[in-house]
Amino acid sequence: EKNEKLEAPKYRHEWYQTADKVTVSVFAKKIPADQVKVQFLEGHLTLTLLTGDGEVDFSLPLQLFAPVLPDQCKFQALTTKIEIILKKATQVQWGGLEGSGSPLVPQPINMSSVANTRPAYPSSKARDPVDWDKLEVELKEEEKNEKLEAPKYRHE
């Protein structure tokens, strides 16, 4: 019997984005900057961490969600992590760090069209606005004209 286990990645990574940048943090502690190699391509990123004698210790190849500008990307080796900053080629919201590599271009988010769209619930029919002042006057008239009679109780 073979006892094959999928090996967990040696270092975990996380990412977040702003309108024009994506920041990837790889949590590898105390890696000297000269042992960190990052290759930036328009749609790919490869991080390689080397041992002291130049052997590959860890490799993280990523197919990116959308294109980046390789000449404006950079990385920094900090004491607690490797921080990689990717400059987005277009200011679009990424749906994830990695993409399928398909040539589909993510569409920019048009916030003005999102803000002007009303929810489409079955109960959200377009109605005429209610004139509350007019309604109040009508109710007061109705109350005046109505004969309010107290219920009559009979005690037996």
Side-chain angles (χ1 to χ4, degrees):
E1 282 180 52
K2 286 187 180 179
N3 187 6
E4 289 184 22
K5 270 199 311 190
L6 286 176
E7 199 175 307
K10 190 170 184 171
Y11 303 110
R12 71 181 178 88
H13 66 279
E14 293 177 356
W15 72 285
Y16 65 90
Q17 65 183 311
T18 61
D20 63 338
K21 290 183 195 138
V22 172
T23 302
V24 181
S25 297
V26 178
F27 296 95
K29 295 181 179 182
K30 298 179 182 173
I31 306 289
D34 63 348
Q35 293 177 347
V36 179
K37 304 289 179 224
V38 183
Q39 181 185 26
F40 299 108
L41 298 172
E42 187 178 286
H44 293 47
L45 153 76
T46 304
L47 165 72
T48 307
L49 302 181
L50 304 172
T51 61
D53 50 358
E55 297 294 316
V56 174
D57 181 44
F58 175 77
S59 182
L60 178 66
L62 298 173
Q63 181 149 353
L64 301 172
F65 182 82
V68 295
L69 302 172
D71 58 330
Q72 295 181 40
C73 296
K74 58 187 178 186
F75 74 92
Q76 203 173 3
L78 305 169
T79 55
T80 57
K81 64 184 177 181
I82 311 296
E83 189 171 77
I84 302 166
I85 298 168
L86 306 169
K87 174 75 172 156
K88 293 179 179 179
T90 54
Q91 290 194 11
V92 294
Q93 188 77 16
W94 286 19
L97 176 59
E98 296 183 83
S100 63
S102 66
L104 295 174
V105 178
Q107 296 301 310
I109 298 170
N110 182 348
M111 290 311 288
S112 62
S113 70
V114 172
N116 294 333
T117 319
R118 293 182 56 137
Y121 301 109
S123 62
S124 297
K125 296 178 186 145
R127 296 187 179 117
D128 294 330
V130 176
D131 183 347
W132 295 106
D133 294 327
K134 181 180 170 190
L135 186 63
E136 183 181 15
V137 170
E138 287 173 1
L139 283 172
K140 284 184 180 178
E141 278 297 312
E142 216 174 272
E143 284 175 356
K144 235 192 273 179
N145 296 336
E146 204 176 82
K147 291 182 182 175
L148 295 175
E149 294 180 23
K152 295 178 182 169
Y153 294 102
R154 286 179 28 185
H155 298 331
E156 293 181 19

